């Protein structure tokens, strides 16, 4: 075999090795990106539940007879309706999907905030195996469809006085 043909073979083998190496690195990058998005999703589910629970506590612990939702998210950090400030959240959580402190807000009937949602339009990876309170997230097209809110429902009981309180989610 001549030296020119051997150099061509070595060059071709090197090109194939570079192409395979690039494909492997691309696959590893994709897996890493996928894993990071799954971590952010898990954090969004945790943070959303923290806001939902804080809103529930604020509403349920309203002083006097009238239950109220918070007017702004900062009310969850220090509830000034009491002589000593009540805290329902230790700190404001940023939106894990956008990294921003800004959240979409679910308005409560009669005023106030009954929930939060991410402002991300990215499609979720997780599409099933949600907890009962979040099962409507299965149909979500984007993270902004994952709405974490607290609502009170009062279905009529046998005597018409039955009250049922629940944490619900909507699409």
């Amino acid at each position: 075999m001549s030296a020119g043909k051997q150099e061509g073979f070595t060059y071709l083998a090197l090109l194939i090795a570079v192409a395979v190496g690039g494909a492997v690195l691309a696959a590893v990058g994709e897996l890493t990106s996928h894993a990071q998005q799954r971590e952010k999703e898990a954090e969004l589910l945790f943070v959303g539940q923290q806001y939902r629970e804080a809103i529930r506590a604020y509403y349920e612990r309203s002083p006097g007879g009238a239950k109220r939702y918070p007017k702004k998210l900062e009310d969850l950090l220090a509830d000034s309706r009491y002589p000593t400030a009540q805290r329902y959240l230790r700190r404001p959580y940023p939106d894990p999907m956008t990294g921003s402190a800004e959240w979409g807000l679910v308005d409560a009937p009669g005023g106030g905030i009954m929930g939060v949602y991410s402002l991300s339009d990215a499609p979720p990876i997780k599409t099933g195996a949600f907890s009962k309170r979040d099962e409507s997230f299965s149909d979500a097209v984007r993270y902004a469809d994952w709405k974490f809110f607290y609502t009170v429902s009062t279905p009529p009981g046998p005597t018409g006085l039955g009250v049922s309180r629940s944490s619900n989610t909507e699409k």
Side-chain angles (χ1 to χ4, degrees), residues 5-128:
K5 286 185 178 180
Q6 191 171 8
E7 287 175 8
F9 179 74
T10 304
Y11 182 68
L12 181 61
L14 182 62
L15 282 176
I16 291 172
V18 168
V20 169
V24 167
L25 286 175
V28 168
E30 180 70 24
L31 287 174
T32 302
S33 173
H34 213 250
Q36 287 174 341
Q37 188 171 356
R38 284 197 182 278
E39 286 177 21
K40 286 181 180 181
E41 280 184 354
E43 187 176 349
L44 177 60
L45 290 168
F46 171 78
V47 169
Q49 179 56 28
Q50 294 299 305
Y51 274 107
R52 179 189 287 143
E53 182 57 29
I55 291 168
R56 183 203 62 76
Y58 184 98
Y59 181 88
E60 294 297 331
R61 295 179 190 164
S62 293
K67 304 280 186 187
R68 290 193 196 108
Y69 287 101
K71 296 278 185 219
K72 55 191 185 291
L73 292 179
E74 290 78 18
D75 293 343
L76 301 173
L77 300 174
D79 184 356
S80 59
R81 301 176 297 173
Y82 293 93
T84 59
Q86 302 291 308
R87 300 186 189 286
Y88 307 106
L89 283 179
R90 292 177 151 209
R91 62 184 175 90
Y93 290 100
D95 177 349
M97 304 316 291
T98 64
S100 168
E102 187 177 355
W103 287 89
L105 304 176
V106 179
D107 293 329
I113 299 166
M114 64 188 280
V116 298
Y117 60 91
S118 174
L119 296 175
S120 174
D121 287 329
I125 294 174
K126 183 176 176 100
T127 58

Side-chain angles (χ1 to χ4, degrees), residues 1 22 115-116 169:
M1 190 190 279
V116 298
T169 57

